[in-house]
Amino acid sequence: MKRSVSQLADGREIIYFDDTPTAPARNAKDTRDLPAQAPHSVIRRDPLTGEWVAIASHRQTRTYKPPADLCPLCPSSQGRPTEIPESDYDVVVFENRFPSFAQSVPDTTPTVPGMPMVPMAPGQGRCEVVCFTSDHGRSFGELSPSRVRTVVDVWADRTEEFGTFPGVQQVFPFENRGEEIGVTLSHPHGQIYGYPFVTPKTELMLATARGYLAEHGRPVMGDVLAAERAVGTRVVASGRYWTAFVPAAARWPVEVHVVPHRQVPDLPALTEAERDDFAELYLRVLHQMDALYSRPLPYIAAWHQAPVRTARELAWLHLEVFSVLRTRDKLKYLAGSESGMAVWINDATPEQIAERLRGNPS
Ligand SMILES: [Zn+2]
């Protein structure tokens, strides 16, 4: 892999990651006249639940569903500059123009004025966009195994560097695909969030892992993985170092967890062999998902990693992939129970979901 760092017209960082060391130099200049970045992001903590909420008012003007010939994630061409100054690329990462969190954000008062029980802080973190290919019409599942392998290295690279940025407490690489889940740009891309706090979901999982370890003396994910592999009914694909299964208490109409057999806190901790195996296995899972309804499945793929500084020994890296589509053309909406109480009601059993995924050619 070849890594080249450059800057966009408004000072944002852009990093090209090319599959091979022999890739051409990436030194094209950003010719656009962009206004200086002025992200305004704050976090406020809900006094009733203890959860942080980010308020990023500058994001209201962000790009919404542009036509393909105006795609800001395609390479630049003559007279049509985009976010990526080069005329081609393999994988590229750059700071989000409309970030939910950023390094240079204004200071705030320590609490919301008049509300001493509501802590407030600058939304100091980092948000990057990752383009997986320069080919606008492709999807992640159509990438070659070697390109997916590059993407894994990119996620690991960014996780490591995000951990050095002031304020970042947790690094979250993710991908959303499909208009059904609110993707505003169809070019194959993902994002990486560096949160200025440990997310509520991770806090909950770490507390559960801590309790299980105290009671059983073993990590809960290790026991889950061993049991899933032994029972086999929910396993959809397995490799040498990873297993993909529908969790026994799946929330979504389609939900798969891709878990490494070895307990590692985050992506940088994976060996070369584990990264190779993941690339191959994940492509199989995505093919199974697209075959499910014979259409590109809208999905969210979310990496669960250890926080940057705390509870690293408790965490177990894994990828959660899920879809809101319950039939070929019907969406599962987050209705009263899900939205109001965070209680999921799933119409299909996890065993049926696994059966359907396995039944399709991968
Ligand atoms: Zn594009």
Side-chain angles (χ1 to χ4, degrees):
M1 194 173 75
K2 182 177 173 186
R3 190 182 192 277
S4 329
V5 184
S6 189
Q7 270 199 345
L8 296 174
D10 54 7
R12 284 175 296 140
E13 195 172 34
I14 180 166
I15 311 172
Y16 297 91
F17 293 89
D18 286 296
D19 293 334
T20 59
T22 53
R26 302 298 188 192
N27 46 22
K29 258 189 94 68
D30 184 2
T31 56
R32 297 171 300 171
D33 183 20
L34 290 183
Q37 274 243 295
H40 191 278
S41 166
V42 300
I43 56 172
R44 295 180 176 191
R45 196 165 68 202
D46 181 332
L48 304 182
T49 64
E51 293 179 359
W52 288 101
V53 174
I55 298 157
S57 46
H58 61 276
R59 276 170 52 84
Q60 285 174 8
T61 54
R62 70 187 192 272
T63 316
Y64 185 75
K65 291 185 188 166
D69 62 342
L70 293 177
C71 174
L73 308 184
C74 277
S76 289
S77 55
Q78 198 61 41
R80 202 192 145 272
T82 69
E83 287 282 71
I84 297 114
E86 286 289 335
S87 58
D88 196 16
Y89 61 85
D90 288 345
V91 178
V92 69
V93 163
F94 58 88
E95 290 182 73
N96 197 317
R97 192 167 166 195
F98 305 98
S100 302
F101 308 104
Q103 283 293 288
S104 56
V105 280
D107 220 350
T108 68
T109 52
T111 56
V112 173
M115 298 290 286
M117 72 298 285
V118 183
M120 182 159 72
Q124 193 190 29
R126 173 104 164 182
C127 289
E128 290 184 354
V129 176
V130 188
C131 299
F132 306 128
T133 166
S134 59
D135 184 347
H136 184 89
R138 236 168 235 250
S139 69
F140 198 106
E142 292 167 335
L143 301 177
S144 66
S146 63
R147 173 59 57 80
V148 176
R149 186 63 179 71
T150 301
V151 173
V152 176
D153 284 347
V154 171
W155 285 327
D157 176 288
R158 303 321 296 143
T159 298
E160 211 152 20
E161 191 171 5
F162 270 51
T164 68
F165 294 139
V168 172
Q169 301 299 334
Q170 185 179 338
V171 187
F172 175 48
F174 64 99
E175 183 197 355
N176 301 329
R177 183 178 79 170
E179 286 196 14
E180 288 89 344
I181 41 179
V183 175
T184 50
L185 297 170
S186 68
H187 194 110
H189 73 288
Q191 297 189 62
I192 306 174
Y193 272 27
Y195 293 105
F197 47 80
V198 177
T199 63
K201 183 137 192 187
T202 299
E203 291 275 25
L204 182 61
M205 290 172 71
L206 291 170
T208 310
R210 191 176 286 115
Y212 191 93
L213 186 66
E215 193 178 341
H216 302 275
R218 297 182 305 275
V220 60
M221 182 63 100
D223 280 5
V224 165
L225 188 62
E228 290 292 2
R229 285 171 63 79
V231 175
T233 47
R234 286 173 298 271
V235 172
V236 295
S238 55
R240 183 157 180 205
Y241 300 107
W242 297 74
T243 296
F245 57 88
V246 180
R251 293 172 173 77
W252 301 93
V254 184
E255 179 174 341
V256 175
H257 292 189
V258 187
V259 182
H261 296 169
R262 189 171 65 95
Q263 182 175 19
V264 290
D266 53 18
L267 288 151
L270 293 171
T271 63
E272 298 284 314
E274 285 166 336
R275 295 178 194 204
D276 289 345
D277 192 49
F278 169 81
E280 198 265 329
L281 183 75
Y282 185 38
L283 284 174
R284 271 160 61 201
V285 170
L286 290 179
H287 297 165
Q288 287 174 320
M289 292 179 79
D290 279 350
L292 190 61
Y293 305 127
S294 305
R295 56 157 288 183
L297 192 75
Y299 66 80
I300 293 172
W303 278 108
H304 290 271
Q305 304 202 88
V308 172
R309 287 171 193 86
T310 56
R312 293 183 55 80
E313 72 294 344
L314 281 172
W316 191 307
L317 171 76
H318 62 283
L319 180 68
E320 182 180 348
V321 196
F322 58 92
S323 179
V324 293
L325 215 60
R326 56 190 179 84
T327 67
R328 195 172 192 281
D329 47 16
K330 285 202 180 73
L331 290 180
K332 174 182 178 65
Y333 288 101
L334 293 190
S337 184
E338 286 87 358
S339 298
M341 284 291 125
V343 175
W344 261 252
I345 318 254
N346 198 340
D347 296 344
T349 70
E351 295 73 27
Q352 286 169 338
I353 301 167
E355 184 66 48
R356 284 181 213 148
L357 284 167
R358 274 197 308 265
N360 288 291
S362 64

